Amino acid sequence: MADLLTLNRLVVRRGRKFSLAPTSLTLTDKSGIVGLFGQNGAGKTTLLKAVAGLVDHQEGDIRTRNGRVPAFLPDRPYLYEFLRVDETPRLLARYYDDYSVEIADEIIDDLGLDRSKRVAHLSKGMSEQLSLGLMLARRAEVYLFDEPLAAVDPVTRDVVLSLIQRHRSEGSAVVISTHLISGLESLFDEFAVLHEGRLLLHEPVDALMRDGGLEETFKKVVRGA
Amino acid sequence: MLEWKVEARKHARFFGFSLLVVCSVLAAHLALDNTVTEVLWVFAVILTSAAAAAYVAAHLFHHVALDGDLLFHMSTQSAVKKFALKTVPLFLGFCLVGCVTLFGYLNGDGSDGTAGFLLYAYGSKIASFGAFVVTVWVLARLVTRLRGLSTQILVSGVLFVAFVGLQVYGHWTWHSLSGLNWSVGSSTEFLGLPMHANVLAVVVGDGGTEITPAMAGSFVVNTVTVVVGAAAELLLFSRGRSRRALATVPVASGSAV
């Protein structure tokens, strides 16, 4: 078993307030898909952004194999709208040294997108699917997805989850932050709860399912905090 | 090259439009040469110069201080390449517009400069653009940790005015401007020595058309600003950021980010 990501007492502060209290977490090549749950404002986005190198941390450290930056899907649009769909993976290949244009093209075909269309002309749903799909074409060891399931209909949700399961690198760990639990229990291998900037729980899902399910565990952990 | 083309495309619309405006007005001014086209030309120069400076400053500030352009920030390119990709296209666009506005200044009434002098005028202008781009970048870095956009803008604005004001004062003292006809801002006529306090033109009348040490001083200050600002970004700011993931195993050659 190899450690893919280790957070060692990571601290993010905004002024005098903790956005993230000292947080330690290890993901291995056996972690699979990790659900990161928390209420709005719990610090999920801050944690993921800090790991992705988009927010400064004041204490602790982040370790990955060879210091590679994990693939990160932000919770807001990030693609350049003036580019055509088929231009975007080629640009990303210039931005990331672990990027696979072939896999990106395969994902675009899977989504049935018109390659000659500009990103600006895609529907909101299609644009979100493309954003996620193109980040999956990185051959990363760790993927961080910030709220990829927020405000998507059940059909789109299935498409998104299928993309993640089919196209992520073998042996990689995937962190999906969300506040939706219902209907997603079977997706996750590990379950983490973040509350008011503190990581309260990180356990394999199997044990928690025997103990009343994820939603009950989440409520119990947050109420007991 | 694609990443360079993409950066250029981000600014093509603004600089393309600015060039179109300033070139059209210049062509009309040269063809008709009357009071109306003269006034239009003056306004076009002032407006495009101010708009280009505001555009460049806003774009760099948004990128550096506000972490705008998320995709670019997420990329794993080196700090040197990121700095170059963000600054060079803006600098070149700025130069294109700026050098057209200089045309009227160098070819207006009373222009009798030598080829070397004209070349110096363009060099001085280009150095001033470089200094402006780097100054805005460094100021944006300095205010990144301040809370609130208005505080960030206020502090960086005050620092910029102080930095430029100090240079104007330096030129005043060194060049004895008190005894000469001089003005601050862009000029459309060949009035005298082309000097710059950062991006701000300091136009001196009756100063002759020879390149004096005092005149060269503004070029040197701007060139030094570019070098020091770029060195600060690459050696201090980009390395000092606590955003790097460390390696759990020795970093393989060429694979570190």
Side-chain angles (χ1 to χ4, degrees):
Chain A
M1 193 162 70
D3 289 354
L4 303 182
L5 171 72
T6 307
L7 307 185
N8 180 27
R9 295 190 61 75
L10 192 72
V11 171
V12 178
R13 281 196 201 93
R14 293 233 171 98
R16 289 180 186 171
K17 278 187 174 175
F18 278 120
S19 290
L20 199 63
T23 300
S24 297
L25 174 76
T26 299
L27 300 182
T28 70
D29 56 352
K30 304 291 179 206
S31 290
I33 299 182
V34 182
L36 177 63
F37 294 87
Q39 293 166 296
N40 289 331
K44 301 187 295 291
T45 298
T46 302
L47 173 64
L48 298 186
K49 278 187 161 182
V51 176
L54 295 170
V55 167
D56 284 328
H57 57 271
Q58 283 70 46
E59 288 172 36
D61 56 53
I62 303 162
R63 290 179 183 271
T64 57
R65 290 210 292 188
N66 286 341
R68 284 185 179 276
V69 178
F72 174 61
L73 176 76
D75 60 350
R76 56 188 162 106
Y78 70 94
L79 297 175
Y80 297 138
E81 293 197 330
F82 59 86
L83 288 183
R84 290 194 316 268
V85 169
D86 63 345
E87 286 176 310
T88 308
R90 275 130 198 100
L91 175 68
L92 294 181
R94 302 290 302 173
Y95 279 4
Y96 301 106
D97 53 11
D98 57 0
Y99 201 80
S100 168
V101 174
E102 292 74 26
I103 291 174
D105 284 342
E106 202 179 301
I107 292 170
I108 289 169
D109 287 342
D110 280 1
L111 291 171
L113 293 173
D114 179 354
R115 285 162 184 259
S116 60
K117 251 190 181 177
R118 291 200 190 282
V119 173
H121 297 151
L122 295 176
S123 67
K124 186 170 176 278
M126 276 321 228
S127 176
E128 283 173 358
Q129 289 174 45
L130 180 67
S131 298
L132 181 133
L134 292 182
M135 213 33 87
L136 275 169
R138 275 187 68 186
R139 299 294 82 197
E141 292 186 327
V142 179
Y143 295 90
L144 310 168
F145 296 131
D146 192 7
E147 300 278 7
L149 307 172
V152 295
D153 60 79
V155 176
T156 308
R157 189 183 70 181
D158 288 350
V159 172
V160 166
L161 296 178
S162 154
L163 275 178
I164 293 172
Q165 285 169 321
R166 280 167 45 217
H167 292 289
R168 70 189 177 104
S169 309
E170 209 178 319
S172 61
V174 179
V175 180
I176 298 177
S177 88
T178 179
H179 49 264
L180 304 171
I181 300 179
S182 175
L184 294 174
E185 289 92 342
S186 60
L187 174 72
F188 300 114
D189 301 296
E190 292 183 0
F191 183 74
V193 176
L194 198 66
H195 183 65
E196 294 178 347
R198 288 176 298 140
L199 188 67
L200 300 180
L201 180 81
H202 178 211
E203 298 274 343
V205 164
D206 293 347
L208 300 172
M209 290 302 281
R210 287 193 295 271
D211 212 21
L214 299 186
E215 194 158 329
E216 278 310 307
T217 306
F218 176 72
K219 286 177 186 169
K220 213 185 295 176
V221 168
V222 169
R223 281 177 191 148
Chain B
M1 281 303 286
L2 181 59
E3 64 275 37
W4 287 99
K5 284 182 190 166
V6 167
E7 284 306 311
R9 277 171 73 179
K10 288 178 189 172
H11 311 299
R13 192 176 293 182
F14 174 82
F15 285 118
F17 181 72
S18 299
L19 266 178
L20 185 71
V21 169
V22 82
C23 287
S24 311
V25 178
L26 177 62
H29 180 40
L30 292 176
L32 301 173
D33 195 21
N34 57 36
T35 314
V36 175
T37 56
E38 170 71 25
V39 170
L40 273 177
W41 169 242
V42 172
F43 273 109
V45 169
I46 292 169
L47 284 176
T48 50
S49 300
Y55 176 85
V56 169
H59 195 87
L60 289 176
F61 194 86
H62 179 251
H63 174 71
V64 179
L66 307 181
D67 278 347
D69 200 345
L70 198 52
L71 179 57
F72 189 88
H73 276 294
M74 291 195 296
S75 75
T76 55
Q77 301 167 103
S78 68
V80 178
K81 192 170 179 189
K82 281 186 174 181
F83 178 65
L85 274 169
K86 274 293 161 196
T87 53
V88 171
L90 280 169
F91 167 71
L92 292 177
F94 207 173
C95 285
L96 268 177
V97 176
C99 287
V100 176
T101 65
L102 203 59
F103 180 88
Y105 167 64
L106 292 172
N107 296 279
D109 296 337
S111 170
D112 58 355
T114 60
F117 187 83
L118 298 184
L119 201 62
Y120 171 78
Y122 277 104
S124 174
K125 193 86 174 166
I126 288 167
S128 77
F129 291 146
F132 180 69
V133 167
V134 170
T135 303
V136 172
W137 184 286
V138 170
L139 287 175
R141 277 278 196 235
L142 289 176
V143 300
T144 302
R145 282 170 184 265
L146 296 179
R147 295 184 81 185
L149 177 62
S150 51
T151 311
Q152 289 179 328
I153 290 174
L154 187 70
V155 172
S156 54
V158 167
L159 288 174
F160 181 74
V161 170
F163 185 55
V164 173
L166 202 66
Q167 288 183 48
V168 173
Y169 179 74
H171 293 319
W172 169 287
T173 310
W174 194 14
H175 203 70
S176 302
L177 293 184
S178 54
L180 296 170
N181 167 27
W182 69 286
S183 62
V184 173
S186 55
S187 169
T188 59
E189 294 299 326
F190 190 83
L191 290 173
L193 308 180
M195 300 203 306
H196 293 87
N198 199 274
V199 76
L200 199 66
V202 180
V203 184
V204 186
D206 308 324
T209 52
E210 293 300 315
I211 304 167
T212 63
M215 208 174 120
S218 78
F219 177 76
V220 171
V221 169
N222 278 337
T223 308
V224 168
T225 302
V226 172
V227 174
V228 171
E233 165 60 19
L234 302 176
L235 302 176
L236 200 65
F237 295 123
S238 61
R239 284 192 183 182
R241 308 193 92 187
S242 57
R243 293 185 177 187
R244 294 278 176 270
L246 304 170
T248 51
V249 292
V251 177
S253 172
S255 61
V257 176

